[in-house]
Coordinates of all heavy atoms in Angstrom, one line a residue:
M1 N 82.9 223.8 327.2 CA 81.6 224.2 326.4 C 80.5 223.3 327.0 O 80.6 222.1 327.0 CB 81.8 223.9 325.0 CG 82.8 224.7 324.3 SD 82.9 224.6 322.5 CE 82.4 223.0 322.1
V2 N 79.4 224.0 327.4 CA 78.3 223.3 327.9 C 77.1 223.7 327.1 O 76.6 224.8 327.2 CB 78.0 223.6 329.4 CG1 76.7 223.0 329.9 CG2 79.2 223.2 330.3
P3 N 76.6 222.7 326.2 CA 75.5 223.1 325.4 C 74.1 222.8 326.1 O 74.1 222.0 327.0 CB 75.6 222.1 324.2 CG 76.4 220.9 324.8 CD 77.2 221.5 325.8
K4 N 73.1 223.6 325.7 CA 71.8 223.4 326.3 C 70.8 223.4 325.1 O 70.9 224.3 324.3 CB 71.5 224.6 327.2 CG 70.1 224.5 327.9 CD 69.9 225.7 328.7 CE 68.4 225.7 329.2 NZ 68.0 226.9 329.9
R5 N 69.9 222.5 325.2 CA 68.9 222.4 324.1 C 67.9 223.5 324.3 O 67.6 224.0 325.3 CB 68.1 221.1 324.3 CG 68.7 219.8 324.0 CD 67.7 218.7 324.1 NE 67.0 218.7 325.4 CZ 67.1 217.7 326.2 NH1 67.8 216.6 326.0 NH2 66.4 217.7 327.4
K6 N 67.4 224.0 323.1 CA 66.3 225.0 323.1 C 65.1 224.2 323.2 O 65.0 223.0 322.8 CB 66.4 225.8 322.0 CG 67.6 226.8 322.0 CD 67.5 227.9 321.0 CE 68.7 228.8 321.2 NZ 68.6 230.0 320.2
T7 N 64.0 224.8 323.7 CA 62.7 224.1 323.8 C 62.1 224.0 322.4 O 61.7 225.0 321.8 CB 61.8 224.9 324.7 OG1 62.4 225.0 326.0 CG2 60.5 224.1 324.9
I8 N 62.1 222.8 321.9 CA 61.5 222.5 320.6 C 60.7 221.2 320.8 O 60.8 220.5 321.7 CB 62.5 222.3 319.5 CG1 63.4 221.3 319.8 CG2 63.2 223.6 319.3 CD1 64.3 220.8 318.5
T9 N 59.9 220.8 319.7 CA 59.1 219.6 319.7 C 59.9 218.4 319.2 O 60.7 218.7 318.2 CB 57.9 219.8 318.8 OG1 57.2 221.0 319.3 CG2 57.0 218.6 318.8
T10 N 59.8 217.4 319.8 CA 60.5 216.1 319.3 C 59.4 215.1 318.9 O 58.4 215.0 319.7 CB 61.5 215.5 320.3 OG1 60.8 215.2 321.5 CG2 62.6 216.5 320.6
H11 N 59.6 214.3 318.0 CA 58.7 213.2 317.6 C 59.6 211.9 317.3 O 60.5 212.0 316.5 CB 58.0 213.5 316.3 CG 57.1 214.7 316.4 ND1 55.9 214.6 317.1 CD2 57.1 216.0 315.9 CE1 55.2 215.8 317.1 NE2 56.0 216.6 316.3
Q12 N 59.2 210.9 318.0 CA 59.9 209.6 317.7 C 59.3 209.1 316.5 O 58.1 208.7 316.5 CB 59.7 208.7 318.9 CG 60.6 207.4 318.8 CD 62.0 207.7 318.9 OE1 62.5 208.4 319.8 NE2 62.8 207.0 318.0
M13 N 60.0 209.0 315.4 CA 59.5 208.6 314.1 C 59.3 207.1 314.0 O 58.3 206.6 313.5 CB 60.4 209.1 312.9 CG 60.5 210.6 313.0 SD 59.0 211.5 312.8 CE 58.5 211.2 311.2
N14 N 60.3 206.4 314.5 CA 60.3 204.9 314.5 C 61.4 204.5 315.4 O 61.9 205.3 316.2 CB 60.5 204.3 313.1 CG 61.7 204.9 312.4 OD1 62.8 205.0 313.0 ND2 61.5 205.3 311.2
D15 N 61.8 203.2 315.5 CA 62.8 202.8 316.4 C 64.2 203.4 316.0 O 65.1 203.4 316.8 CB 62.9 201.3 316.3 CG 61.7 200.6 317.0 OD1 61.0 201.2 317.7 OD2 61.6 199.4 316.7
E16 N 64.3 203.9 314.8 CA 65.6 204.4 314.3 C 65.8 205.9 314.3 O 66.9 206.4 314.2 CB 65.9 203.8 312.9 CG 65.8 202.3 312.8 CD 67.0 201.7 313.4 OE1 68.2 202.2 313.2 OE2 67.0 200.6 314.1
E17 N 64.7 206.7 314.3 CA 64.8 208.1 314.0 C 64.0 209.0 315.0 O 62.9 208.6 315.4 CB 64.3 208.5 312.6 CG 65.2 208.0 311.5 CD 64.6 208.3 310.2 OE1 63.4 208.2 309.9 OE2 65.5 208.7 309.3
L18 N 64.7 210.1 315.4 CA 64.0 211.1 316.2 C 63.9 212.3 315.4 O 64.9 212.8 314.7 CB 64.7 211.3 317.5 CG 64.1 212.4 318.4 CD1 62.9 212.0 319.0 CD2 65.2 212.8 319.5
A19 N 62.7 213.0 315.3 CA 62.6 214.3 314.5 C 62.7 215.4 315.5 O 61.9 215.4 316.5 CB 61.3 214.3 313.7
L20 N 63.5 216.4 315.3 CA 63.4 217.7 316.0 C 62.7 218.6 315.2 O 63.1 218.9 314.0 CB 64.9 218.1 316.3 CG 65.9 217.2 316.9 CD1 67.3 217.8 317.0 CD2 65.3 216.7 318.2
V21 N 61.7 219.3 315.7 CA 60.9 220.3 315.0 C 61.0 221.6 315.6 O 60.4 221.8 316.8 CB 59.4 219.7 314.9 CG1 58.6 220.7 314.1 CG2 59.4 218.4 314.3
D22 N 61.6 222.6 315.0 CA 61.7 223.9 315.5 C 60.7 224.8 314.6 O 61.1 225.2 313.6 CB 63.1 224.4 315.4 CG 63.3 225.9 315.9 OD1 62.3 226.4 316.4 OD2 64.4 226.4 315.8
E23 N 59.5 225.0 315.1 CA 58.5 225.6 314.3 C 58.9 227.2 314.2 O 58.6 227.8 313.2 CB 57.2 225.5 315.0 CG 56.7 224.1 314.9 CD 55.4 224.0 315.7 OE1 54.8 224.8 316.1 OE2 55.0 222.7 315.9
Q24 N 59.6 227.7 315.2 CA 59.9 229.1 315.1 C 60.9 229.4 313.9 O 60.8 230.5 313.3 CB 60.6 229.6 316.4 CG 61.0 231.0 316.5 CD 61.6 231.4 317.8 OE1 61.8 230.5 318.7 NE2 62.0 232.6 318.0
N25 N 61.8 228.5 313.6 CA 62.8 228.8 312.6 C 62.5 227.9 311.4 O 63.4 227.7 310.5 CB 64.2 228.4 313.1 CG 64.6 229.4 314.1 OD1 64.6 230.6 313.9 ND2 65.1 229.0 315.4
N26 N 61.4 227.2 311.3 CA 61.0 226.4 310.2 C 62.1 225.3 309.9 O 62.5 225.2 308.8 CB 60.7 227.1 308.9 CG 59.2 227.6 308.9 OD1 58.4 227.1 309.5 ND2 59.0 228.6 308.1
C27 N 62.4 224.6 310.9 CA 63.5 223.6 310.8 C 63.1 222.2 311.3 O 62.4 222.1 312.4 CB 64.7 224.1 311.6 SG 66.1 222.9 311.7
V28 N 63.3 221.2 310.5 CA 63.1 219.8 311.0 C 64.4 219.1 310.7 O 65.0 219.1 309.6 CB 62.0 219.2 310.1 CG1 61.8 217.7 310.5 CG2 60.6 220.0 310.3
L29 N 64.8 218.3 311.7 CA 66.1 217.6 311.6 C 65.8 216.2 312.1 O 65.3 216.0 313.1 CB 67.2 218.3 312.5 CG 68.6 217.7 312.4 CD1 69.1 217.9 311.0 CD2 69.5 218.4 313.4
L30 N 66.1 215.2 311.2 CA 66.0 213.8 311.6 C 67.3 213.3 312.2 O 68.3 213.5 311.6 CB 65.6 213.0 310.4 CG 64.2 213.2 309.9 CD1 64.0 212.3 308.6 CD2 63.1 212.9 310.9
L31 N 67.2 212.7 313.3 CA 68.4 212.1 314.0 C 68.3 210.6 314.1 O 67.3 210.0 314.3 CB 68.5 212.6 315.5 CG 68.4 214.1 315.6 CD1 68.5 214.5 317.2 CD2 69.5 214.8 314.8
N32 N 69.5 210.0 313.8 CA 69.6 208.5 314.0 C 69.7 208.3 315.5 O 69.6 209.2 316.4 CB 70.7 207.9 313.3 CG 72.1 208.4 313.6 OD1 72.3 209.0 314.7 ND2 73.1 208.2 312.8
N33 N 69.9 207.0 315.9 CA 69.9 206.6 317.3 C 71.1 207.4 318.1 O 70.9 207.8 319.2 CB 70.1 205.1 317.5 CG 68.8 204.4 317.2 OD1 67.7 205.0 317.2 ND2 69.0 203.1 316.8
V34 N 72.2 207.5 317.4 CA 73.4 208.1 318.1 C 73.1 209.6 318.3 O 73.4 210.2 319.3 CB 74.7 207.8 317.3 CG1 75.9 208.5 318.0 CG2 75.0 206.3 317.3
G35 N 72.6 210.2 317.2 CA 72.2 211.7 317.2 C 71.2 212.0 318.3 O 71.3 212.9 319.0
A36 N 70.2 211.0 318.4 CA 69.2 211.2 319.5 C 69.8 211.0 320.9 O 69.4 211.8 321.8 CB 68.1 210.2 319.3
A37 N 70.8 210.1 321.0 CA 71.4 210.0 322.3 C 72.2 211.2 322.7 O 72.1 211.7 323.9 CB 72.3 208.8 322.3
V38 N 72.9 211.8 321.7 CA 73.6 213.1 322.0 C 72.6 214.2 322.3 O 72.8 214.9 323.3 CB 74.5 213.4 320.8 CG1 75.0 214.9 321.0 CG2 75.6 212.4 320.5
W39 N 71.5 214.2 321.6 CA 70.5 215.3 321.8 C 70.0 215.2 323.3 O 69.9 216.2 324.0 CB 69.3 215.1 320.8 CG 68.1 216.0 321.1 CD1 66.9 215.7 321.7 CD2 68.1 217.4 320.9 NE1 66.2 216.8 321.8 CE2 66.9 217.8 321.3 CE3 69.0 218.3 320.4 CZ2 66.4 219.2 321.3 CZ3 68.6 219.6 320.2 CH2 67.3 220.1 320.7
Y40 N 69.7 214.0 323.7 CA 69.2 213.9 325.1 C 70.2 214.1 326.2 O 69.9 214.5 327.3 CB 68.5 212.5 325.3 CG 67.2 212.4 324.5 CD1 67.0 211.4 323.5 CD2 66.1 213.3 324.9 CE1 65.7 211.3 322.9 CE2 64.9 213.2 324.2 CZ 64.7 212.3 323.2 OH 63.5 212.2 322.6
L41 N 71.5 213.9 325.8 CA 72.6 214.2 326.8 C 72.9 215.7 326.9 O 73.5 216.1 327.8 CB 73.8 213.4 326.4 CG 73.8 211.9 326.5 CD1 75.0 211.3 325.9 CD2 73.8 211.6 328.0
I42 N 72.4 216.5 325.9 CA 72.5 217.9 325.9 C 71.5 218.4 326.9 O 70.3 218.6 326.5 CB 72.4 218.5 324.5 CG1 73.5 218.0 323.6 CG2 72.4 220.0 324.6 CD1 73.4 218.4 322.2
D43 N 72.0 218.7 328.1 CA 71.0 219.1 329.1 C 71.3 220.4 329.8 O 70.7 220.8 330.8 CB 70.9 218.0 330.2 CG 72.1 217.7 330.9 OD1 73.2 218.3 330.6 OD2 72.2 216.7 331.7
G44 N 72.4 221.1 329.4 CA 72.8 222.3 330.0 C 73.7 222.0 331.3 O 74.1 223.0 331.9
N45 N 73.9 220.8 331.6 CA 74.8 220.5 332.7 C 76.1 219.8 332.2 O 77.1 220.0 332.8 CB 74.1 219.6 333.7 CG 72.9 220.3 334.4 OD1 73.1 221.4 334.9 ND2 71.8 219.7 334.4
R46 N 76.0 219.0 331.2 CA 77.1 218.2 330.7 C 77.9 219.0 329.7 O 77.3 219.6 328.8 CB 76.6 216.9 330.0 CG 76.1 215.9 330.9 CD 75.6 214.7 330.1 NE 75.1 213.7 330.9 CZ 73.7 213.6 331.1 NH1 72.9 214.3 330.5 NH2 73.3 212.6 331.9
S47 N 79.2 218.9 329.8 CA 80.1 219.6 328.7 C 80.1 218.6 327.5 O 79.6 217.5 327.6 CB 81.5 219.7 329.3 OG 82.0 218.5 329.5
V48 N 80.6 219.2 326.4 CA 80.7 218.4 325.3 C 81.6 217.2 325.6 O 81.4 216.0 325.1 CB 81.3 219.2 324.1 CG1 81.7 218.3 322.9 CG2 80.3 220.2 323.7
D49 N 82.7 217.4 326.3 CA 83.5 216.2 326.7 C 82.8 215.2 327.5 O 83.0 214.0 327.3 CB 84.8 216.8 327.5 CG 85.8 217.5 326.7 OD1 85.8 217.3 325.4 OD2 86.6 218.3 327.2
A50 N 81.9 215.6 328.5 CA 81.2 214.7 329.2 C 80.2 213.8 328.3 O 80.0 212.7 328.5 CB 80.4 215.3 330.3
I51 N 79.7 214.5 327.4 CA 78.8 213.9 326.4 C 79.5 212.8 325.6 O 79.1 211.7 325.4 CB 78.1 214.9 325.5 CG1 77.1 215.8 326.3 CG2 77.4 214.2 324.3 CD1 76.6 217.0 325.5
C52 N 80.7 213.2 325.2 CA 81.6 212.2 324.4 C 81.9 211.0 325.3 O 81.8 209.9 324.8 CB 82.9 212.9 324.0 SG 82.6 214.2 322.8
E53 N 82.3 211.2 326.5 CA 82.5 210.1 327.5 C 81.3 209.1 327.5 O 81.5 208.0 327.6 CB 82.9 210.7 328.8 CG 84.2 211.3 328.9 CD 84.6 212.0 330.2 OE1 83.9 211.6 331.2 OE2 85.4 212.9 330.2
S54 N 80.1 209.7 327.6 CA 79.0 208.9 327.7 C 78.8 208.0 326.5 O 78.5 206.8 326.5 CB 77.7 209.7 328.0 OG 77.7 210.3 329.2
I55 N 79.0 208.7 325.4 CA 78.9 207.9 324.0 C 79.9 206.8 323.9 O 79.6 205.7 323.4 CB 78.9 209.0 322.8 CG1 77.7 209.9 322.9 CG2 78.9 208.2 321.5 CD1 76.3 209.3 322.9
V56 N 81.2 207.2 324.2 CA 82.2 206.2 324.2 C 81.9 205.0 325.0 O 82.3 203.8 324.6 CB 83.6 206.8 324.6 CG1 84.7 205.9 324.9 CG2 84.0 207.8 323.5
Q57 N 81.3 205.1 326.1 CA 80.9 204.0 327.0 C 80.0 203.0 326.3 O 79.9 201.9 326.7 CB 80.3 204.5 328.3 CG 81.5 205.2 329.2 CD 80.8 205.7 330.4 OE1 79.6 205.5 330.8 NE2 81.7 206.5 331.2
T58 N 79.2 203.5 325.3 CA 78.1 202.7 324.7 C 78.5 202.2 323.3 O 77.9 201.3 322.8 CB 76.8 203.4 324.7 OG1 76.9 204.5 323.9 CG2 76.3 203.7 326.1
L59 N 79.5 202.8 322.7 CA 79.9 202.5 321.3 C 81.2 202.0 321.2 O 82.2 202.6 321.8 CB 79.6 203.7 320.3 CG 78.2 204.2 320.2 CD1 78.3 205.4 319.3 CD2 77.3 203.2 319.5
P60 N 81.5 201.0 320.3 CA 82.9 200.5 320.1 C 83.6 201.4 319.1 O 83.9 200.9 318.0 CB 82.7 199.1 319.7 CG 81.4 199.2 319.0 CD 80.6 200.2 319.7
V61 N 83.7 202.7 319.4 CA 84.4 203.6 318.5 C 85.5 204.4 319.2 O 85.3 204.7 320.3 CB 83.3 204.7 318.0 CG1 83.9 205.7 317.0 CG2 82.1 203.9 317.3
P62 N 86.6 204.6 318.5 CA 87.7 205.4 319.2 C 87.3 206.7 319.7 O 86.5 207.4 319.1 CB 88.8 205.5 318.1 CG 88.4 204.5 317.0 CD 86.9 204.3 317.1
N63 N 87.9 207.1 320.8 CA 87.6 208.4 321.6 C 87.7 209.6 320.6 O 86.8 210.4 320.7 CB 88.5 208.5 322.8 CG 88.2 207.6 323.9 OD1 87.3 206.7 323.8 ND2 88.9 207.6 324.9
D64 N 88.8 209.6 319.9 CA 89.0 210.8 319.0 C 87.9 210.9 318.0 O 87.6 212.0 317.6 CB 90.4 210.8 318.5 CG 90.7 209.6 317.6 OD1 90.1 208.6 317.9 OD2 91.7 209.6 316.8
R65 N 87.5 209.8 317.4 CA 86.4 209.9 316.4 C 85.1 210.3 317.0 O 84.4 211.2 316.5 CB 86.3 208.4 315.8 CG 85.0 208.3 314.9 CD 85.3 209.0 313.6 NE 84.1 209.0 312.7 CZ 83.7 208.1 311.9 NH1 84.5 207.0 311.7 NH2 82.6 208.2 311.2
V66 N 84.7 209.8 318.3 CA 83.5 210.2 318.9 C 83.6 211.8 319.2 O 82.7 212.5 319.0 CB 83.3 209.4 320.2 CG1 82.2 210.1 321.0 CG2 83.0 208.0 319.9
K67 N 84.7 212.2 319.7 CA 84.9 213.6 320.1 C 84.7 214.5 318.8 O 84.0 215.5 318.8 CB 86.2 213.9 320.6 CG 86.5 215.3 321.1 CD 87.7 215.4 321.9 CE 88.0 216.9 322.4 NZ 87.1 217.4 323.3
Q68 N 85.4 214.1 317.7 CA 85.2 214.8 316.4 C 83.7 214.9 316.0 O 83.2 215.9 315.6 CB 86.1 214.2 315.4 CG 86.1 214.9 314.1 CD 86.9 214.1 313.0 OE1 87.5 213.1 313.3 NE2 87.0 214.8 311.8
D69 N 83.1 213.7 315.9 CA 81.7 213.6 315.5 C 80.7 214.4 316.4 O 79.9 215.1 315.9 CB 81.3 212.2 315.4 CG 81.9 211.5 314.2 OD1 82.6 212.1 313.4 OD2 81.8 210.2 314.2
V70 N 80.9 214.3 317.7 CA 80.0 215.0 318.6 C 80.2 216.5 318.5 O 79.2 217.2 318.5 CB 80.2 214.5 320.1 CG1 79.5 215.4 321.1 CG2 79.7 213.0 320.2
E71 N 81.4 216.9 318.5 CA 81.7 218.4 318.3 C 81.1 218.9 317.1 O 80.5 220.0 317.1 CB 83.2 218.7 318.4 CG 83.7 218.5 319.8 CD 85.2 218.8 319.9 OE1 85.9 218.8 318.8 OE2 85.8 218.8 321.0
S72 N 81.2 218.2 316.0 CA 80.6 218.6 314.7 C 79.2 218.7 314.8 O 78.6 219.7 314.3 CB 81.2 217.7 313.6 OG 80.6 218.0 312.4
F73 N 78.5 217.7 315.4 CA 77.1 217.6 315.5 C 76.5 218.7 316.3 O 75.6 219.4 316.0 CB 76.7 216.3 316.1 CG 75.2 216.1 316.2 CD1 74.3 216.2 315.1 CD2 74.7 215.7 317.4 CE1 73.0 216.1 315.3 CE2 73.3 215.6 317.6 CZ 72.4 215.8 316.5
V74 N 77.2 219.0 317.4 CA 76.8 220.1 318.3 C 76.9 221.4 317.6 O 76.0 222.3 317.8 CB 77.5 220.0 319.7 CG1 77.3 221.3 320.5 CG2 77.2 218.8 320.4
R75 N 78.0 221.6 316.8 CA 78.1 222.9 316.1 C 77.0 223.0 315.0 O 76.5 224.1 314.8 CB 79.5 222.9 315.4 CG 80.6 223.3 316.3 CD 81.8 223.7 315.5 NE 82.4 222.6 314.7 CZ 83.2 221.7 315.1 NH1 83.6 221.6 316.3 NH2 83.5 220.7 314.2
E76 N 76.6 221.9 314.4 CA 75.5 221.9 313.4 C 74.2 222.3 314.1 O 73.4 223.1 313.6 CB 75.3 220.5 312.8 CG 74.1 220.4 311.9 CD 73.9 219.0 311.3 OE1 74.8 218.1 311.5 OE2 72.9 218.8 310.7
L77 N 73.9 221.8 315.3 CA 72.8 222.1 316.1 C 72.8 223.6 316.5 O 71.7 224.2 316.4 CB 72.7 221.2 317.4 CG 72.4 219.7 317.2 CD1 72.5 219.0 318.5 CD2 71.0 219.5 316.5
Q78 N 73.9 224.1 316.8 CA 74.1 225.5 317.2 C 73.8 226.4 315.9 O 73.1 227.3 316.0 CB 75.5 225.8 317.7 CG 75.6 227.3 318.1 CD 77.0 227.6 318.5 OE1 78.0 226.9 318.1 NE2 77.1 228.6 319.4
A79 N 74.3 226.0 314.8 CA 74.0 226.7 313.6 C 72.6 226.7 313.2 O 72.1 227.7 312.6 CB 74.9 226.1 312.4
K80 N 71.8 225.6 313.5 CA 70.4 225.6 313.2 C 69.6 226.2 314.4 O 68.4 226.1 314.4 CB 70.0 224.2 313.0 CG 70.6 223.6 311.7 CD 70.1 222.2 311.6 CE 70.8 221.5 310.3 NZ 70.5 222.2 309.0
H81 N 70.2 226.8 315.4 CA 69.6 227.4 316.5 C 68.8 226.5 317.4 O 67.8 226.8 317.9 CB 68.7 228.6 316.0 CG 69.5 229.6 315.2 ND1 70.4 230.5 315.7 CD2 69.4 229.8 313.9 CE1 70.9 231.2 314.6 NE2 70.3 230.7 313.5
L82 N 69.3 225.2 317.5 CA 68.6 224.2 318.3 C 69.3 224.1 319.7 O 68.7 223.5 320.6 CB 68.6 222.9 317.6 CG 67.8 222.9 316.2 CD1 68.0 221.6 315.5 CD2 66.4 223.2 316.5
V83 N 70.5 224.6 319.8 CA 71.3 224.6 321.0 C 72.0 225.9 321.3 O 72.2 226.6 320.3 CB 72.3 223.4 321.3 CG1 71.6 222.1 321.1 CG2 73.4 223.6 320.3
E84 N 72.2 226.3 322.5 CA 73.0 227.4 322.8 C 74.1 226.9 323.8 O 73.9 225.9 324.4 CB 72.2 228.5 323.4 CG 71.4 228.2 324.7 CD 70.4 229.2 325.1 OE1 70.3 230.2 324.5 OE2 69.7 228.9 326.1
F85 N 75.1 227.8 324.0 CA 76.2 227.4 325.0 C 76.1 228.2 326.2 O 75.9 229.5 326.0 CB 77.6 227.5 324.3 CG 77.8 226.4 323.3 CD1 77.6 226.5 322.0 CD2 78.3 225.1 323.8 CE1 77.8 225.5 321.1 CE2 78.5 224.1 322.9 CZ 78.3 224.3 321.6
L86 N 76.3 227.7 327.3 CA 76.2 228.4 328.6 C 77.6 228.8 329.0 O 78.5 228.2 328.6 CB 75.6 227.5 329.7 CG 74.2 227.0 329.3 CD1 73.7 226.0 330.5 CD2 73.2 228.1 329.2

């Protein structure tokens, strides 16, 4: 599965949060630092597994937990029409 971000507006709210603003679907989603990192790794080239590998390299969290959380988050983004799969 290779997710790709849809073109939407982003706003860095502060050091801790990134806002995704999809005006077409009237959707605003606030992301923490980890969510923002995943968002920026979604580039249409990296698979979900590759995104997980990048996150595991920076966080002291077990691989299976990262995989579960990233897959869940990407599904949430897809449900909100913020990403699509290639």
